[in-house]
């Protein structure tokens, strides 16, 4: 009996110990978005979401964005409770709403950049001694906003630590010198996806992205890396973000079906992914869908009716750790708010900068479930890590030990650029994970590999592996929700050689057509040798009449042959120095990402001389025509050459600025097009007047009509007005 009582007492003691709240919970402030401190940290969170027309406010994502805001508040409250981290120093914060819109985010950013303790933003040439309102900024949540604010914040060298922006372009420290993040770059996500495809032998896939910064860059990087690893991308498409996506999505799905692929990589934000899978469900399509981190665990997609019919979803999610105190903290916070609620008057106008969530004053314990969502539970760790990195970097910067700090921010100047240098060297152990930044500001960990398992109407996210530089996955833990036990998405041996051969033969055709078209241009222009007739009859009129037959016959032939010979020599030299057609075709890297490969134009010197000869002929022809003056009432021999030369020159002059602004495919099309148009214009302008004369005035088709000029009839001077 005594033993039983002892066990009961022990259980009671252990139970009370486990359920006891930390002592610092009693100091929680009910203010969700601002808190004073010796040093302030700024926060940018998607508390509300605006529609694309910026006129209508939607609160569909308010729980997610607000949960991340509360994660920052929780992190700072916990740091302030640890006396050995920043002893004697309190960290405060100011959190603002981005509305997920570039047009909106600038206002809070400018507020965070104002001079310390003021509402003014100084304009100066040197910000070394400038102390802004905050020492660092946590955010933003996605890649769309960073290009808008990253360069501006980088100019002040204020650390900008994102918990969700994954685009690899932000690794460029020359453009974004102060940007850092606690989630891996998309470059590593692409590496992970490609390794996953290779592990299962899938080399015939499609890739779909959202039509924004995140989706476009991710799709481009994946396509490029897939090609390097001999994975053929049968089709790639973009889901519209700011317009009705239904028609575009249906076209994408049609192309995926036509390509007969079994695996589709979806590199998209959550809203476009939702729109995409709505149409997938309508069509009852099944396959393997590889999910990027942006929608991998998002309830906008996982709660769609009929989502369990789409097949197998393999997803990548940022490595995370549970924060055991976060949910109890939120429960305590909402309890305190519930007891201090002050109803807001209907006509009260409060700036979004002061209160980005007017409805949040009504939060209560009934709303605690908002932070228990799987996506929130996995995302808050990224915010938590960002805040703790700032705290540990300040610990080093201020020269702190367990009892005091050498520098006091109340009396000593502490600048953001100093914190940035400390952050680059910081190393933090959080929940059993060591975290540090590399030289590009990227984190030192990777992804969990997860599978969606469907349980009636709910989705379970089960971990099947992990990735950090290399993929580790347990295939035995995968449950295939497709017709075949293991999905095959292969480019068959029968198809691949045929596609490759056809592809290479069509390059061959293009090369031959290009060289033929260049030679045709030269040949049609040496036909412009009528210029030499003009020189003869204008400069030597007394001899031209007797030599007319020679000028028209053998003389023209010699000039044509001479010009053709020069041009043939230039063309031959260009072809000799250019890469061998056989070698070029053999070295082609066949990719199914691009539908067009442009032939190399090299060497440029030879190519320039070849075209330069054309230019010389055109200019000389054009200028020489002004040597001849029109006899009264007679045929103007030079007029037709003037117009044809002028049309040729004008077309090629217009071509130069147009050509430089086009992509590779359109450049080749434009080059062929201008070649044809200029030659057609040349021939038409020269021969059409003669044809008109022969058809409408055949009586003038006599030697006398054309010899008058040669016999020295003086031109009539222009009439005076």
């Amino acid at each position: 009996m005594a033993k039983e009582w002892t066990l009961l007492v022990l259980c009671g003691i252990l139970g009370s110990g486990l359920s006891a709240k930390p002592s610092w919970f009693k100091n929680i402030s009910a203010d969700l978005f601002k808190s004073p401190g010796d040093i302030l940290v700024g926060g940018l969170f998607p508390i509300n979401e605006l529609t694309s027309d910026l006129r209508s406010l939607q609160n569909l994502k308010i729980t997610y964005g607000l949960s991340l805001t509360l994660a920052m508040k929780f992190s700072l409250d916990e740091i302030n409770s640890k006396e050995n981290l920043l002893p004697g120093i309190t960290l405060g914060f100011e959190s603002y709403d981005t509305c997920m819109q570039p047009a909106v985010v600038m206002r809070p950013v400018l507020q965070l950049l104002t001079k310390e303790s003021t509402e003014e933003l100084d304009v100066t040439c040197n910000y070394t001694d400038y102390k802004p309102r905050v020492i660092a900024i946590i955010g933003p949540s996605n890649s769309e906003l960073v290009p808008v604010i990253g360069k501006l914040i980088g100019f002040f060298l204020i650390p900008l630590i994102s918990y969700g922006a994954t685009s690899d372009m932000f690794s460029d420290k020359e453009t974004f010198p102060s940007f850092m993040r606690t989630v891996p770059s998309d470059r590593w996500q692409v590496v992970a996806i490609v390794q996953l495809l290779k592990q299962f032998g899938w080399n015939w896939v499609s890739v779909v992205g959202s039509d924004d910064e995140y989706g476009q860059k991710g799709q481009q990087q994946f396509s490029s890396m897939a090609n390097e690893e001999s994975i053929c991308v049968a089709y790639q498409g973009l889901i519209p973000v700011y317009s009705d996506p239904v028609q575009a999505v249906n076209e994408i799905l049609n192309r995926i079906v036509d390509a007969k692929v079994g695996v589709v990589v979806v590199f998209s934000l959550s809203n476009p992914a939702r729109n995409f899978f709505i149409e997938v469900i309508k069509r009852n399509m099944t396959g393997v869908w590889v999910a990027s981190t942006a929608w991998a665990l998002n309830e906008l997609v996982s709660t769609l009716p009929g989502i369990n019919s789409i097949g197998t979803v393999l997803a990548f999610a940022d490595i995370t750790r549970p924060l055991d105190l976060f949910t109890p903290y939120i429960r305590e916070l909402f309890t305190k708010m519930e007891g201090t609620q002050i109803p807001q008057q209907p006509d009260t106008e409060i700036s979004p900068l002061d209160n980005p969530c007017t409805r949040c004053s009504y939060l209560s314990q009934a709303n605690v479930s908002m932070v228990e969502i799987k996506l929130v539970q996995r995302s808050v760790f990224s915010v938590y890590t960002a805040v703790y990195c700032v705290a540990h970097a300040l610990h080093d910067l201020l020269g702190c030990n367990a009892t005091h700090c050498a520098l006091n921010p109340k009396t000593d100047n502490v600048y953001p650029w100093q914190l940035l240098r400390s952050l680059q060297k910081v190393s933090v152990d959080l929940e059993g994970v060591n975290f540090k930044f590399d030289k590009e500001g990227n984190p030192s960990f990777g992804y969990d590999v997860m599978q969606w398992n469907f349980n009636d109407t709910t989705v379970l996210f089960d971990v099947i592996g992990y990735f950090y530089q290399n993929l580790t996955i347990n295939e035995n833990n995968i449950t295939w929700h497709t017709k075949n036990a293991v999905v095959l998405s292969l480019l068959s041996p029968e198809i691949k050689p045929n596609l490759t051969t056809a592809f290479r033969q069509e390059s061959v055709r293009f090369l031959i057509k290009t060289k033929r078209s260049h030679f045709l241009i030269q040949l049609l222009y040496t036909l412009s040798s009528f210029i030499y007739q003009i020189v003869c009859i204008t400069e030597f009129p007394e001899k031209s009449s007797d030599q007319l037959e020679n000028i028209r016959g053998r003389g023209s032939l010699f000039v044509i042959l001479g010009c053709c010979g020069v041009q043939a020599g230039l063309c031959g030299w260009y072809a000799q120095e250019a890469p061998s057609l056989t070698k070029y075709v053999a070295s082609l890297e066949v990719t199914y990402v691009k539908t067009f490969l442009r032939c190399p134009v090299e060497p440029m010197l030879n190519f320039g001389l070849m075209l330069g000869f054309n230019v010389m002929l055109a200019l000389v022809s054009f200028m020489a025509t002004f040597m001849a003056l029109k006899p009264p009432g007679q045929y103007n021999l030079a007029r037709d050459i003037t117009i044809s030369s002028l049309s040729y020159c004008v077309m090629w002059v217009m071509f130069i600025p147009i050509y430089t602004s086009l992509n590779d495919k359109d450049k080749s099309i434009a080059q062929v097009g201008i070649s044809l148009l200029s030659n057609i214009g040349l021939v038409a302008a020269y021969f059409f007047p003669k044809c008109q004369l022969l058809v409408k005035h055949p009586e003038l088709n006599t030697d006398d009509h054309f010899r008058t000029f040669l016999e020295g009839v003086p031109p009539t001077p222009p009439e005076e007005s």
Side-chain angles (χ1 to χ4, degrees), residues 490-682:
L490 308 175
L491 182 58
S492 68
E494 294 79 13
I495 297 176
K496 188 170 184 178
N498 293 335
L499 285 175
T500 305
T501 302
F503 174 83
R504 289 185 171 175
Q505 286 176 347
E506 185 64 30
S507 293
V508 174
R509 293 194 192 104
F510 179 74
L511 278 168
I512 294 172
K513 287 177 183 176
T514 302
K515 294 188 181 294
R516 284 176 178 170
S517 66
H518 281 307
F519 187 76
L520 182 63
I521 294 171
Q522 325 308 326
L523 186 61
L524 287 174
Y525 222 122
T526 56
L527 292 180
S528 67
S529 62
F530 293 100
I531 172 184
Y532 296 103
Q533 295 181 20
I534 295 174
V535 172
C536 291
I537 62 180
T538 54
E539 296 299 316
F540 310 101
E542 67 282 356
K543 297 181 180 180
S544 299
S545 182
D546 297 335
Q547 300 297 325
L548 183 60
E549 295 303 324
N550 290 331
I551 294 174
R552 287 182 173 179
R554 287 175 296 177
S556 295
L557 180 62
F558 288 149
V559 172
I560 291 174
L561 291 177
C563 291
C564 283
V566 173
Q567 188 62 67
L570 291 173
C571 288
W573 184 37
Y574 170 64
Q576 180 67 28
E577 295 295 324
S580 161
L581 187 61
T582 303
K583 291 181 179 178
Y584 175 69
V585 173
S587 65
L588 278 178
E589 293 185 7
V590 179
T591 169
Y592 299 91
V593 178
K594 296 183 179 179
T595 57
F596 186 89
L597 288 178
R598 183 166 170 256
C599 298
V601 180
E602 54 186 35
M604 286 300 298
L605 173 63
N606 306 46
F607 183 73
L609 289 174
M610 186 177 69
L611 292 184
F613 186 71
N614 273 353
V615 174
M616 183 194 71
L617 287 178
L619 291 177
V620 172
S621 299
F622 180 67
M623 290 186 294
T625 57
F626 291 97
M627 298 169 63
L629 296 177
K630 178 183 180 300
Q634 301 300 324
Y635 180 77
N636 188 352
L637 182 66
R639 178 188 59 192
D640 304 335
I641 302 177
T642 304
I643 296 174
S644 62
S645 300
L646 182 62
S647 66
Y648 185 89
C649 292
V650 168
M651 286 186 187
W652 280 99
V653 169
M654 293 174 59
F655 167 75
I656 294 172
I658 296 173
Y659 182 82
T660 56
S661 64
L662 300 176
N663 56 38
D664 283 348
K665 179 180 179 180
D666 293 337
K667 279 182 178 179
S668 296
I669 294 173
Q671 188 174 350
V672 172
I674 197 67
S675 298
L676 293 174
L677 285 175
S678 61
N679 284 306
I680 291 172
L682 186 71

Side-chain angles (χ1 to χ4, degrees), residues 446-497:
Y447 307 96
D448 285 329
V449 186
M450 313 188 77
Q451 181 192 6
W452 288 19
N453 282 322
F454 306 104
N455 182 12
D456 295 329
T457 58
T458 61
V459 176
L460 304 177
F461 305 106
D462 297 329
V463 177
I464 58 174
Y466 62 91
F467 173 87
Y468 178 60
Q469 297 186 347
N470 289 293
L471 182 69
T472 301
I473 191 169
N474 188 343
E475 297 183 28
N476 295 327
N477 290 343
I478 300 177
T479 303
W480 298 101
H481 302 282
T482 45
K483 295 178 181 178
N484 300 323
V486 178
V487 175
L488 298 178
S489 190
L490 308 175
L491 182 58
S492 68
E494 294 79 13
I495 297 176
K496 188 170 184 178

Side-chain angles (χ1 to χ4, degrees), residues 9 60 83 98 172 188 192 253 275 543 596:
V9 171
L60 296 177
E83 298 180 355
T98 67
D172 180 3
W188 284 112
L253 295 178
N275 295 329
K543 297 181 180 180
F596 186 89

